[in-house]
C-alpha cells in the first residue's frame, strides 16, 4: 500500500502544453490523481476539455474517452 495524501493546493497555470508538462512532473513524483477547479467553471472546463485533455492523452497521462 503506497498510502494516500490529501492537500497540497498547487496552482497549475500556463498554456495547455505548460499545464501538461507540470502534470507530467507531478506524475513522475508518484502523483496518480488530481482534483482540479476553475474560477469560471463552465467555459474553463470546456477549454480544458478541448485543449488540455487531448495533450494529456498524447502524453499517456490519460486514457482516451473511448477506453474508459
Amino acid at each position: 500500500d503506497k498510502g494516500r495524501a490529501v492537500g497540497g493546493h498547487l496552482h497549475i497555470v500556463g498554456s495547455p502544453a505548460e499545464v501538461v508538462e507540470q502534470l507530467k512532473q507531478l506524475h513522475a513524483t508518484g502523483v496518480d490523481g488530481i482534483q482540479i477547479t476553475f474560477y469560471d467553471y463552465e467555459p474553463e472546463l470546456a477549454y480544458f476539455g478541448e485543449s488540455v485533455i487531448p495533450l494529456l492523452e498524447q502524453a499517456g497521462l490519460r486514457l482516451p474517452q473511448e477506453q474508459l
Side-chain angles (χ1 to χ4, degrees), residues 41-63:
Y41 192 80
E42 277 192 57
E44 292 177 10
L45 177 62
Y47 180 78
F48 188 86
E50 295 166 1
S51 302
V52 178
I53 294 291
L55 296 178
L56 290 172
E57 292 172 352
Q58 290 173 13
L61 297 176
R62 184 178 192 284
L63 292 173

Side-chain angles (χ1 to χ4, degrees), residues 13-67:
V13 296
S15 70
E18 292 168 332
V19 168
V20 171
E21 183 57 36
Q22 292 173 66
L23 293 174
K24 283 171 62 174
Q25 291 172 7
L26 285 171
H27 181 70
T29 68
V31 173
D32 64 358
I34 62 168
Q35 176 181 349
I36 58 175
T37 61
F38 304 103
Y39 287 110
D40 192 3
Y41 192 80
E42 277 192 57
E44 292 177 10
L45 177 62
Y47 180 78
F48 188 86
E50 295 166 1
S51 302
V52 178
I53 294 291
L55 296 178
L56 290 172
E57 292 172 352
Q58 290 173 13
L61 297 176
R62 184 178 192 284
L63 292 173
Q65 181 66 34
E66 58 272 0
Q67 291 184 15

